């Protein structure tokens, strides 16, 4: 439709120009008055005509009265002006006083007047068919180029190319990739030693950890062309298009060697074969087969390095991971506290930070955040600062942004009854008191009865430093804290007045207890073993099936152990809250008044600082 409108406008403009040209053929003299021959003869006999100019079949009359409007007469072709005078009986005396001037007719006007009426329709037809043919040719070219790849290419001289200096953290990953950079810079050194650089480098890690940025940095450090495509860009509804695009992509890389081919989200085409919906001949599997062939089909010292990124290496086809293809795997971990400091410093550039902002403190409050999360955090802080009409980003804006990223924006407009607010306050106070007093829980950072996202209130706990292991004692304390809100509601309002608020806590506690029993071997009754093989249907991309490797009797024992762990946690939470009922009541009074308690205010309410001997794996939130 757009092409038709464009062609129509062009043809209309062309016709408009032609019409304007035709209108100019008559020139500026198109204004004379048109009269008949008889009128002209009368004026000549009356002595009113001063001059007659004969131009082809046109007689231009100039009257004696200079103020009078010029006149124009059309005569028959081939008839002379003298014949007209004789035929109409103009007197000899009148002829004697009349000035007659014969002018040659303009050649271009003659040919234009005779040829344009015949040629114009032909020109219109030719122009119309030209634009129609050009549109068809464009469609043919698109059809012929359907199997060609269109990678995003970053050339060595591009201004926005990345280097390792642009990648904060990820020290181990950068050290692994240094060898690839060295090979691309100086291939001869490796060839002389008889060494073969890996053909493929697979970057594995959680979403947002900087895998794509690392691949671009490798190309920038080596100063070579970088071809970037997503795995989903290979697959189309037509069989064979993906394989054709793979061939075209590797062909372009070989011509530009040394170069880097980067396939982002390779699990879109590299999943294990034989488990898809289309049998063994669907388009995705043909594309994967072509990638396998191409990676085997070029010399390892050609200078083409294939890099790929995925956050699901467990679903990739084994043929893709064997030596000779993606034979080097680089794990990009979630950033630790030092890495987070560097990443926050990078994303703070260009943002005016207040003097009270300490990057170390922000890094401590963001365990489990990826690089993308931290970038989003600093952007949210800047937006909050603009909304509050502040000139600098303060610590309060950053802390509020952390909670917004984790839970969503505050819903202060949500109307809560006094009863619901009191229930929420006791619920969150139950979590906070248990988590505050048990030695193996993370430090409580904040308590709030203000709704955020789907949570009516929340208790936020964060570790003081990164740690990657969890003990049985820590799990049991976390279970007790999760049950704290449920126990507090039962203590205050009675068994028959427990609300639906603890439902998410009960779900969290049940899941944690099940993992302790079935995955971590933390059951005295069942012993140190795991239960169930968790399988994944590749085409759905999620874990939906568990293969049971235990009997029905063992399943009953698992249920009993889960019930025992949750009951034990409830008992511990009840004892902690019963022994510290006055502190819980005092905390509720403060929450009803202020709605939010920070860590320092919580310590004042509890009367003693938190003493913790554990640092957990990340942020946890009790709703």
């Amino acid at each position: 439709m757009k092409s038709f409108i464009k062609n129509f406008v062009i043809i209309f403009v062309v016709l408009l120009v032609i019409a304007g040209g035709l209108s100019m053929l008559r020139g500026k003299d198109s204004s004379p008055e048109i009269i008949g021959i008889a009128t002209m003869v009368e004026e000549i006999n009356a002595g009113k005509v001063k001059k007659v100019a004969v131009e082809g079949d046109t007689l231009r009359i100039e009257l004696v009265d200079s103020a009078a409007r010029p006149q124009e007469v059309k005569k028959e072709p081939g008839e002379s002006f003298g014949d007209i005078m004789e035929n109409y009986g103009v007197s000899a005396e009148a002829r004697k006083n009349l000035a007659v001037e014969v002018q040659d007719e303009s050649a271009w006007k003659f040919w234009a007047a005779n040829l344009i009426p015949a040629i114009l329709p032909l020109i219109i037809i030719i122009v119309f068919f030209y634009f129609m043919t050009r549109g068809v040719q464009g469609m043919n070219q698109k059809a012929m180029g359907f199997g060609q790849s269109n990678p995003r290419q970053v050339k060595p001289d591009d201004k926005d190319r990345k280097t390792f200096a642009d990648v904060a953290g990820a020290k181990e990953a950068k050290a692994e990739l240094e060898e690839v950079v060295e090979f691309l810079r100086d291939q001869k050194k490796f060839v002389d030693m008889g060494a073969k650089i890996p053909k493929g480098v697979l970057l594995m890690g959680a979403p947002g950890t900087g895998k794509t940025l690392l691949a671009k940095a490798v190309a920038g450090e080596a100063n070579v062309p970088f071809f970037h495509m997503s795995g989903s860009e290979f697959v189309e509804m037509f069989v064979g298009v993906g394989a054709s695009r793979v061939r075209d992509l590797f062909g372009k890389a070989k011509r530009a060697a040394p170069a880097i081919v980067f396939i982002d989200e390779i699990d879109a085409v590299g999943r294990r074969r034989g488990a898809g919906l289309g049998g063994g001949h669907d388009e995705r599997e043909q594309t994967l087969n072509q990638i396998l062939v191409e990676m085997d089909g070029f010399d390892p010292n050609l200078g083409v390095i294939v890099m790929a990124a995925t956050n699901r290496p467990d679903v990739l086809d084994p043929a893709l991971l064997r030596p000779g293809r993606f034979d080097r795997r680089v794990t990009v971990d979630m950033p630790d506290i030092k890495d987070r400091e560097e990443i926050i410093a990078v994303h703070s550039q260009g943002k005016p930070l207040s003097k009270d902002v300490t990057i170390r403190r922000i890094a401590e409050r963001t365990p489990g955040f990826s690089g993308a999360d931290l970038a989003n955090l600093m952007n949210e802080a800047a937006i909050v600062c603009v909304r509050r009409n502040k000139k600098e980003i303060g610590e309060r804006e950053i802390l509020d942004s952390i909670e917004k990223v984790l839970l969503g924006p505050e819903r202060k407009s949500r109307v809560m009854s006094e009863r619901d607010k009191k229930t929420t306050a006791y619920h969150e106070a139950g979590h906070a008191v248990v988590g505050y007093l048990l030695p193996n829980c993370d430090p409580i950072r904040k308590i709030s009865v203000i709704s955020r996202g789907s949570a009516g209130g929340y208790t936020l706990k964060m570790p003081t430093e990164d740690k990657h292991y969890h003990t049985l004692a820590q799990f049991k304390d976390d279970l007790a804290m999760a049950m704290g809100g449920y126990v507090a509601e039962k203590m205050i309002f009675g068994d028959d007045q427990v609300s639906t608020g603890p439902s998410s806590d009960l779900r969290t506690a049940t899941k944690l207890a099940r993992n302790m029993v079935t995955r971590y071997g933390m059951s005295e009754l069942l012993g140190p073993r795991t239960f169930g093989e968790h399988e994944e249907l590749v085409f759905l991309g999620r874990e939906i099936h568990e293969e049971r490797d235990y009997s029905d009797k063992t399943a009953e024992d698992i249920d009993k152990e889960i019930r025992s762990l949750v009951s034990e946690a409830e008992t511990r939470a009840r004892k902690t809250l019963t022994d510290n009922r006055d502190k819980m009541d005092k905390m509720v009074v403060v929450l009803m008044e202020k709605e939010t308690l920070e860590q320092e205010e919580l310590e004042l309410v509890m009367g003693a600082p938190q003493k913790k001997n554990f640092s957990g794996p990340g942020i946890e939130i009790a709703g």
Side-chain angles (χ1 to χ4, degrees):
M1 187 64 184
K2 291 182 179 179
S3 177
F4 173 78
I5 295 174
K6 177 182 176 182
N7 294 339
F8 176 79
V9 170
I10 293 175
I11 293 174
F12 177 78
V13 171
V14 170
L15 294 178
L16 192 64
V17 171
I18 293 173
L22 289 175
S23 65
M24 293 179 62
L25 290 177
R26 301 182 65 184
K28 296 181 180 180
D29 297 329
S30 58
S31 59
E33 179 185 0
I34 306 299
I35 61 174
I37 295 178
T39 304
M40 178 190 68
V41 171
E42 290 179 2
E43 291 177 347
I44 292 174
N45 287 331
K48 296 180 180 180
V49 178
K50 177 181 179 182
K51 179 181 177 183
V52 176
V54 181
E55 183 179 344
D57 297 333
T58 303
L59 304 178
R60 304 187 185 281
I61 301 171
E62 181 181 345
L63 300 177
V64 174
D65 185 4
S66 59
R69 183 180 175 185
Q71 296 176 341
E72 188 175 284
V73 177
K74 291 290 185 180
K75 65 181 183 66
E76 294 182 12
E79 185 180 15
S80 67
F81 180 70
D83 294 339
I84 293 175
M85 295 295 99
E86 290 182 1
N87 294 338
Y88 280 86
V90 178
S91 63
E93 183 178 353
R95 291 190 203 179
K96 186 184 296 185
N97 297 327
L98 180 64
V100 179
E101 179 181 345
V102 179
Q103 298 178 352
D104 293 332
E105 186 177 7
S106 174
W108 74 270
K109 286 186 178 182
F110 172 79
W111 288 110
N114 288 277
L115 294 180
I116 285 181
I119 295 177
L120 183 59
L122 183 61
I123 293 176
I124 295 175
I125 294 173
I126 292 174
V127 170
F128 177 77
F129 276 103
Y130 168 74
F131 283 109
M132 294 301 103
T133 305
R134 192 175 68 170
V136 173
Q137 289 176 346
M139 295 177 63
N140 289 337
Q141 290 175 357
K142 290 181 181 179
M144 295 298 293
F146 196 64
Q148 295 181 356
S149 63
N150 294 304
R152 293 173 292 281
Q153 184 175 358
V154 180
K155 298 180 180 178
D157 56 349
D158 286 350
K159 296 180 180 179
D160 59 345
R161 71 186 185 95
K162 304 296 183 181
T163 63
F164 284 152
D166 299 309
V167 183
K171 300 178 182 63
E172 293 80 6
K174 287 191 284 188
E176 284 284 326
L177 296 172
E178 281 287 352
E179 293 179 9
V180 178
V181 174
E182 285 296 323
F183 173 77
L184 292 170
R185 284 178 177 170
D186 186 6
Q187 302 174 38
K188 188 175 182 300
K189 180 170 60 176
F190 289 85
V191 174
D192 292 343
M193 190 59 65
K196 295 181 180 179
I197 201 71
K199 289 184 180 180
V201 179
L202 182 64
L203 300 174
M204 306 180 300
T209 50
K211 299 182 292 294
T212 303
L213 183 60
L214 272 171
K216 291 182 178 180
V218 171
E221 288 285 339
N223 204 31
V224 297
F226 179 80
F227 297 90
H228 177 197
M229 283 190 72
S230 172
S232 60
E233 294 181 63
F234 292 106
V235 182
E236 292 284 353
M237 64 179 293
F238 303 108
V239 176
V241 172
S244 175
R245 289 180 178 176
V246 170
R247 289 191 294 269
D248 184 68
L249 173 63
F250 277 84
K252 290 178 179 177
K254 291 174 186 177
R255 290 191 292 272
I260 290 178
V261 173
F262 178 63
I263 304 175
D264 200 4
E265 304 295 345
I266 194 172
D267 49 280
V269 292
R271 289 176 178 266
R272 190 184 303 269
R273 289 170 291 181
L277 290 174
H281 302 284
D282 66 304
E283 169 66 0
R284 183 189 59 77
E285 292 194 3
Q286 289 199 23
T287 304
L288 173 58
N289 291 337
Q290 190 62 45
I291 292 176
L292 299 177
V293 170
E294 289 292 337
M295 293 189 70
D296 265 350
F298 62 83
D299 183 4
N301 292 322
L302 179 65
V304 177
I305 301 294
V306 183
M307 300 185 70
T310 181
N311 48 33
R312 296 301 309 274
D314 53 312
V315 303
L316 294 180
D317 193 277
L320 200 61
L321 301 176
R322 73 155 175 81
R325 292 193 179 115
F326 286 108
D327 45 11
R328 174 163 297 190
R329 307 174 197 178
V330 178
T331 301
V332 186
D333 295 318
M334 296 291 282
D336 59 19
I337 188 168
K338 292 183 179 179
D339 292 339
R340 292 197 297 275
E341 282 189 76
E342 296 179 12
I343 295 170
I344 293 169
V346 169
H347 294 296
S348 298
Q349 295 176 2
K351 296 180 176 66
L353 296 182
S354 177
K355 294 181 179 179
D356 66 332
V357 174
T358 305
I359 292 181
R360 175 74 181 188
R361 181 175 169 83
I362 301 173
E364 291 176 353
R365 296 292 291 264
T366 53
F369 275 48
S370 66
D373 292 331
L374 294 172
N376 183 40
L377 166 64
M378 297 308 298
N379 184 62
E380 285 289 344
I383 293 174
V384 170
C385 188
V386 172
R387 191 181 301 126
R388 295 176 181 176
N389 296 318
K390 292 188 175 182
K391 302 296 183 183
E392 293 181 334
I393 301 175
E395 189 174 85
R396 171 49 48 198
E397 284 72 37
I398 295 177
L399 295 180
D400 289 345
S401 298
I402 292 175
E403 295 173 24
K404 184 177 180 181
V405 170
L406 290 173
L407 296 168
E410 287 186 348
R411 296 194 294 168
K412 290 186 176 181
S413 60
R414 181 180 180 182
V415 179
M416 294 180 66
S417 66
E418 194 67 19
R419 170 58 189 263
D420 288 345
K421 189 174 182 180
K422 187 175 182 180
T423 301
T424 304
Y426 268 106
H427 182 101
E428 300 306 332
H431 286 306
V433 171
V434 174
Y436 190 95
L437 295 174
L438 293 182
N440 296 302
C441 284
D442 295 338
I444 306 298
R445 304 290 188 174
K446 186 174 183 178
I447 317 164
S448 177
V449 294
I450 299 175
S451 298
R452 274 188 182 271
S454 59
Y458 58 94
T459 300
L460 189 65
K461 62 172 185 171
M462 298 180 185
T464 55
E465 62 183 21
D466 295 310
K467 195 171 182 179
H468 303 285
Y469 298 101
H470 225 140
T471 65
L472 177 61
Q474 294 157 7
F475 276 136
K476 287 187 174 182
D477 283 3
D478 286 344
L479 274 175
M481 180 182 171
M483 297 299 294
Y486 172 76
V487 171
E489 288 193 28
K490 290 183 68 175
M491 286 177 58
I492 302 302
F493 302 105
D495 292 350
D496 59 342
Q497 295 295 321
V498 176
S499 69
T500 58
S503 60
S504 62
D505 297 326
L506 297 177
R507 185 166 55 250
T508 300
T510 304
K511 183 178 179 181
L512 177 56
R514 175 172 289 277
N515 287 337
M516 290 171 64
V517 173
T518 61
R519 292 193 173 187
Y520 306 137
M522 294 181 176
S523 168
E524 294 181 3
L525 175 64
L526 298 172
R529 61 156 290 186
T530 61
F531 297 90
E533 291 292 333
H534 298 273
E535 294 184 355
E536 180 180 273
L537 294 182
V538 173
F539 61 88
L540 291 181
R542 58 181 298 183
E543 184 179 272
I544 64 170
H545 176 67
E546 179 185 15
E547 181 183 350
R548 289 180 56 171
D549 57 357
Y550 48 89
S551 66
D552 292 339
K553 177 64 171 62
T554 305
E556 293 180 8
D557 292 339
I558 290 174
D559 289 339
K560 289 179 182 179
E561 278 292 277
I562 293 172
R563 189 181 303 112
S564 174
L565 287 170
V566 175
S567 298
E568 179 187 348
E570 182 183 0
T571 302
R572 294 184 66 203
R574 184 178 297 278
K575 183 179 186 308
T576 303
L577 293 177
T578 302
D579 294 344
N580 297 274
R581 172 68 183 269
D582 56 334
K583 295 179 180 179
M584 181 174 65
D585 292 337
K586 183 179 179 181
M587 189 181 300
V588 169
V589 172
V590 178
L591 278 174
M592 293 290 288
E593 178 184 352
K594 301 183 66 175
E595 295 186 332
T596 298
L597 281 178
E598 294 289 345
Q599 182 175 357
E600 296 79 7
E601 299 170 309
L602 175 63
E603 292 177 352
L604 292 176
V605 172
M606 297 297 292
Q610 300 184 73
K611 295 181 179 179
K612 302 293 182 180
N613 56 18
F614 161 65
S615 298
I619 297 173
E620 293 187 29
I621 302 165

